[in-house]
Short mmCIF file of all heavy atoms in Angstrom, two decimals:
data_model
loop_
_atom_site.label_atom_id
_atom_site.label_comp_id
_atom_site.label_asym_id
_atom_site.label_seq_id
_atom_site.Cartn_x
_atom_site.Cartn_y
_atom_site.Cartn_z
N GLY M 887 346.50 67.12 96.71
CA GLY M 887 346.55 65.71 97.07
C GLY M 887 346.12 65.50 98.50
O GLY M 887 345.97 66.44 99.28
N SER M 888 345.95 64.27 98.87
CA SER M 888 345.45 63.94 100.22
C SER M 888 346.39 64.43 101.32
O SER M 888 345.96 64.83 102.39
CB SER M 888 345.25 62.42 100.35
OG SER M 888 346.45 61.72 100.08
N ALA M 889 347.70 64.42 101.03
CA ALA M 889 348.67 64.82 102.05
C ALA M 889 348.61 66.31 102.35
O ALA M 889 348.87 66.75 103.47
CB ALA M 889 350.08 64.43 101.61
N GLY M 890 348.31 67.13 101.34
CA GLY M 890 348.35 68.57 101.54
C GLY M 890 347.01 69.23 101.76
O GLY M 890 346.93 70.43 102.03
N THR M 891 345.93 68.45 101.69
CA THR M 891 344.59 69.04 101.78
C THR M 891 344.35 69.74 103.10
O THR M 891 343.82 70.85 103.14
CB THR M 891 343.52 67.96 101.56
OG1 THR M 891 343.67 67.40 100.25
CG2 THR M 891 342.12 68.55 101.68
N GLN M 892 344.74 69.10 104.21
CA GLN M 892 344.50 69.70 105.52
C GLN M 892 345.25 71.01 105.70
O GLN M 892 344.71 71.97 106.26
CB GLN M 892 344.87 68.72 106.63
CG GLN M 892 343.94 67.52 106.73
CD GLN M 892 344.25 66.64 107.93
OE1 GLN M 892 345.30 66.78 108.55
NE2 GLN M 892 343.35 65.73 108.25
N SER M 893 346.49 71.06 105.22
CA SER M 893 347.26 72.29 105.32
C SER M 893 346.61 73.40 104.52
O SER M 893 346.51 74.55 104.99
CB SER M 893 348.69 72.05 104.81
OG SER M 893 349.43 73.25 104.79
N LEU M 894 346.16 73.09 103.30
CA LEU M 894 345.49 74.09 102.49
C LEU M 894 344.21 74.55 103.15
O LEU M 894 343.91 75.76 103.19
CB LEU M 894 345.19 73.53 101.10
CG LEU M 894 344.45 74.46 100.14
CD1 LEU M 894 345.26 75.72 99.87
CD2 LEU M 894 344.15 73.73 98.81
N GLU M 895 343.45 73.64 103.70
CA GLU M 895 342.19 74.00 104.36
C GLU M 895 342.44 74.91 105.56
O GLU M 895 341.66 75.84 105.81
CB GLU M 895 341.45 72.73 104.80
CG GLU M 895 340.86 71.94 103.64
CD GLU M 895 340.21 70.65 104.10
OE1 GLU M 895 340.41 70.27 105.29
OE2 GLU M 895 339.50 70.03 103.30
N ARG M 896 343.52 74.65 106.30
CA ARG M 896 343.85 75.51 107.45
C ARG M 896 344.18 76.93 106.99
O ARG M 896 343.75 77.91 107.60
CB ARG M 896 345.02 74.93 108.24
CG ARG M 896 344.67 73.73 109.11
CD ARG M 896 345.76 73.45 110.13
NE ARG M 896 347.03 73.12 109.48
CZ ARG M 896 347.41 71.89 109.17
NH1 ARG M 896 346.62 70.86 109.42
NH2 ARG M 896 348.58 71.67 108.60
N ARG M 897 344.96 77.04 105.92
CA ARG M 897 345.32 78.37 105.42
C ARG M 897 344.09 79.11 104.90
O ARG M 897 343.94 80.32 105.13
CB ARG M 897 346.38 78.25 104.32
CG ARG M 897 347.68 77.62 104.79
CD ARG M 897 348.83 77.87 103.83
NE ARG M 897 348.60 77.39 102.49
CZ ARG M 897 348.84 76.15 102.07
NH1 ARG M 897 349.28 75.24 102.94
NH2 ARG M 897 348.66 75.82 100.80
N ILE M 898 343.21 78.39 104.22
CA ILE M 898 341.99 79.01 103.72
C ILE M 898 341.12 79.48 104.89
O ILE M 898 340.59 80.59 104.88
CB ILE M 898 341.21 78.03 102.83
CG1 ILE M 898 341.96 77.79 101.52
CG2 ILE M 898 339.80 78.56 102.55
CD1 ILE M 898 341.34 76.73 100.63
N ALA M 899 341.00 78.64 105.92
CA ALA M 899 340.19 79.01 107.08
C ALA M 899 340.76 80.23 107.79
O ALA M 899 340.01 81.10 108.25
CB ALA M 899 340.10 77.83 108.04
N GLN M 900 342.09 80.31 107.89
CA GLN M 900 342.72 81.46 108.54
C GLN M 900 342.43 82.74 107.77
O GLN M 900 342.00 83.75 108.33
CB GLN M 900 344.22 81.23 108.65
CG GLN M 900 345.01 82.40 109.24
CD GLN M 900 344.78 82.59 110.73
OE1 GLN M 900 344.33 81.66 111.42
NE2 GLN M 900 345.07 83.77 111.24
N GLY M 901 342.67 82.71 106.46
CA GLY M 901 342.42 83.91 105.66
C GLY M 901 340.96 84.29 105.62
O GLY M 901 340.61 85.46 105.73
N ALA M 902 340.09 83.30 105.48
CA ALA M 902 338.65 83.57 105.44
C ALA M 902 338.17 84.13 106.77
O ALA M 902 337.30 85.01 106.81
CB ALA M 902 337.89 82.29 105.10
N GLY M 903 338.75 83.63 107.87
CA GLY M 903 338.37 84.15 109.18
C GLY M 903 338.74 85.61 109.33
O GLY M 903 337.98 86.40 109.92
N GLU M 904 339.88 86.00 108.81
CA GLU M 904 340.30 87.40 108.88
C GLU M 904 339.35 88.29 108.07
O GLU M 904 338.94 89.36 108.52
CB GLU M 904 341.73 87.53 108.39
CG GLU M 904 342.75 86.87 109.30
CD GLU M 904 344.14 86.76 108.68
OE1 GLU M 904 344.34 87.33 107.58
OE2 GLU M 904 345.01 86.10 109.28
N LEU M 905 339.00 87.84 106.86
CA LEU M 905 338.09 88.64 106.03
C LEU M 905 336.72 88.73 106.67
O LEU M 905 336.11 89.81 106.73
CB LEU M 905 337.99 88.02 104.64
CG LEU M 905 337.12 88.80 103.63
CD1 LEU M 905 337.72 90.17 103.34
CD2 LEU M 905 336.94 88.01 102.33
N ALA M 906 336.22 87.60 107.19
CA ALA M 906 334.91 87.60 107.83
C ALA M 906 334.89 88.51 109.05
O ALA M 906 333.89 89.21 109.30
CB ALA M 906 334.53 86.17 108.23
N ALA M 907 335.98 88.54 109.81
CA ALA M 907 336.04 89.38 111.00
C ALA M 907 335.97 90.86 110.63
O ALA M 907 335.26 91.64 111.27
CB ALA M 907 337.32 89.09 111.78
N VAL M 908 336.71 91.26 109.60
CA VAL M 908 336.68 92.65 109.16
C VAL M 908 335.29 93.02 108.65
O VAL M 908 334.75 94.08 108.98
CB VAL M 908 337.75 92.91 108.09
CG1 VAL M 908 337.58 94.31 107.50
CG2 VAL M 908 339.15 92.76 108.68
N MET M 909 334.69 92.14 107.85
CA MET M 909 333.36 92.42 107.31
C MET M 909 332.33 92.51 108.43
O MET M 909 331.43 93.36 108.39
CB MET M 909 332.96 91.34 106.31
CG MET M 909 333.78 91.34 105.03
SD MET M 909 333.25 90.05 103.87
CE MET M 909 331.61 90.66 103.44
N ALA M 910 332.44 91.64 109.43
CA ALA M 910 331.50 91.67 110.54
C ALA M 910 331.62 92.95 111.34
O ALA M 910 330.62 93.53 111.77
CB ALA M 910 331.73 90.45 111.45
N ARG M 911 332.84 93.43 111.53
CA ARG M 911 333.04 94.66 112.29
C ARG M 911 332.49 95.85 111.53
O ARG M 911 331.91 96.77 112.11
CB ARG M 911 334.52 94.84 112.60
CG ARG M 911 335.04 93.83 113.62
CD ARG M 911 336.54 93.87 113.75
NE ARG M 911 337.01 95.18 114.11
CZ ARG M 911 338.06 95.78 113.57
NH1 ARG M 911 338.74 95.17 112.61
NH2 ARG M 911 338.45 96.96 113.98
N VAL M 912 332.66 95.87 110.21
CA VAL M 912 332.09 96.94 109.41
C VAL M 912 330.58 96.89 109.48
O VAL M 912 329.89 97.92 109.61
CB VAL M 912 332.57 96.85 107.94
CG1 VAL M 912 331.81 97.84 107.07
CG2 VAL M 912 334.06 97.11 107.86
N SER M 913 330.01 95.68 109.43
CA SER M 913 328.56 95.52 109.44
C SER M 913 327.95 95.92 110.77
O SER M 913 326.92 96.60 110.82
CB SER M 913 328.20 94.06 109.13
OG SER M 913 328.65 93.68 107.86
N HIS M 914 328.58 95.51 111.87
CA HIS M 914 327.98 95.70 113.18
C HIS M 914 328.35 97.03 113.83
O HIS M 914 327.56 97.62 114.54
CB HIS M 914 328.38 94.56 114.12
CG HIS M 914 327.87 93.22 113.69
ND1 HIS M 914 326.56 93.00 113.32
CD2 HIS M 914 328.51 92.02 113.54
CE1 HIS M 914 326.40 91.73 112.98
NE2 HIS M 914 327.57 91.12 113.09
N ALA M 915 329.58 97.49 113.57
CA ALA M 915 330.07 98.67 114.28
C ALA M 915 330.16 99.90 113.42
O ALA M 915 329.96 101.02 113.88
CB ALA M 915 331.43 98.38 114.91
N GLY M 916 330.50 99.72 112.14
CA GLY M 916 330.64 100.87 111.26
C GLY M 916 332.00 101.50 111.37
O GLY M 916 332.70 101.66 110.40
N THR M 917 332.43 101.85 112.61
CA THR M 917 333.75 102.45 112.82
C THR M 917 334.39 101.81 114.04
O THR M 917 333.72 101.24 114.90
CB THR M 917 333.64 103.97 113.06
OG1 THR M 917 332.80 104.20 114.19
CG2 THR M 917 333.06 104.66 111.83
N THR M 918 335.69 101.95 114.14
CA THR M 918 336.44 101.47 115.29
C THR M 918 337.06 102.66 116.02
O THR M 918 337.80 103.43 115.41
CB THR M 918 337.57 100.51 114.85
OG1 THR M 918 336.98 99.39 114.19
CG2 THR M 918 338.36 100.03 116.04
N PRO M 919 336.74 102.86 117.30
CA PRO M 919 337.30 103.99 118.02
C PRO M 919 338.81 103.96 118.04
O PRO M 919 339.42 102.89 118.02
CB PRO M 919 336.72 103.81 119.44
CG PRO M 919 335.52 102.92 119.27
CD PRO M 919 335.86 102.03 118.12
N ALA M 920 339.41 105.12 118.11
CA ALA M 920 340.87 105.21 118.17
C ALA M 920 341.36 104.50 119.42
O ALA M 920 340.76 104.59 120.50
CB ALA M 920 341.31 106.67 118.18
N GLY M 921 342.48 103.77 119.27
CA GLY M 921 343.06 103.07 120.40
C GLY M 921 342.51 101.69 120.63
O GLY M 921 342.92 101.00 121.56
N THR M 922 341.55 101.23 119.81
CA THR M 922 340.98 99.90 119.99
C THR M 922 342.03 98.85 119.68
O THR M 922 342.79 98.96 118.72
CB THR M 922 339.78 99.71 119.04
OG1 THR M 922 338.78 100.66 119.41
CG2 THR M 922 339.20 98.31 119.17
N ASP M 923 342.08 97.79 120.48
CA ASP M 923 342.98 96.66 120.22
C ASP M 923 342.35 95.81 119.14
O ASP M 923 341.49 94.98 119.40
CB ASP M 923 343.16 95.85 121.51
CG ASP M 923 344.15 94.70 121.32
OD1 ASP M 923 344.51 94.40 120.16
OD2 ASP M 923 344.56 94.11 122.33
N THR M 924 342.75 96.03 117.88
CA THR M 924 342.11 95.34 116.76
C THR M 924 342.41 93.86 116.78
O THR M 924 341.59 93.07 116.32
CB THR M 924 342.59 95.94 115.43
OG1 THR M 924 344.02 95.87 115.36
CG2 THR M 924 342.16 97.38 115.31
N SER M 925 343.56 93.43 117.29
CA SER M 925 343.85 92.00 117.32
C SER M 925 342.88 91.28 118.25
O SER M 925 342.41 90.19 117.96
CB SER M 925 345.29 91.74 117.76
OG SER M 925 345.52 92.21 119.08
N ALA M 926 342.53 91.93 119.38
CA ALA M 926 341.59 91.32 120.31
C ALA M 926 340.20 91.25 119.70
O ALA M 926 339.49 90.26 119.84
CB ALA M 926 341.56 92.11 121.62
N SER M 927 339.78 92.33 119.03
CA SER M 927 338.45 92.34 118.44
C SER M 927 338.33 91.35 117.31
O SER M 927 337.29 90.73 117.11
CB SER M 927 338.09 93.75 117.95
OG SER M 927 338.98 94.18 116.95
#
């Protein structure tokens, strides 16, 4: 419904952003060195 659409969209964007970030790191870097701050990356 109209009241919950924005909340759902925010949750979808958050989850999609996490998946896209992991896929991008695999695509561009291949591996992550030990000790890397994954939250920052």
Side-chain angles (χ1 to χ4, degrees):
S888 57
T891 299
Q892 290 186 347
S893 175
L894 178 61
E895 289 177 348
R896 285 195 298 269
R897 299 197 302 274
I898 291 174
Q900 177 71 20
E904 292 169 8
L905 183 64
V908 172
M909 292 181 67
R911 290 170 58 223
V912 172
S913 299
H914 296 312
T917 59
T918 299
T922 298
D923 183 348
T924 56
S925 62
S927 61

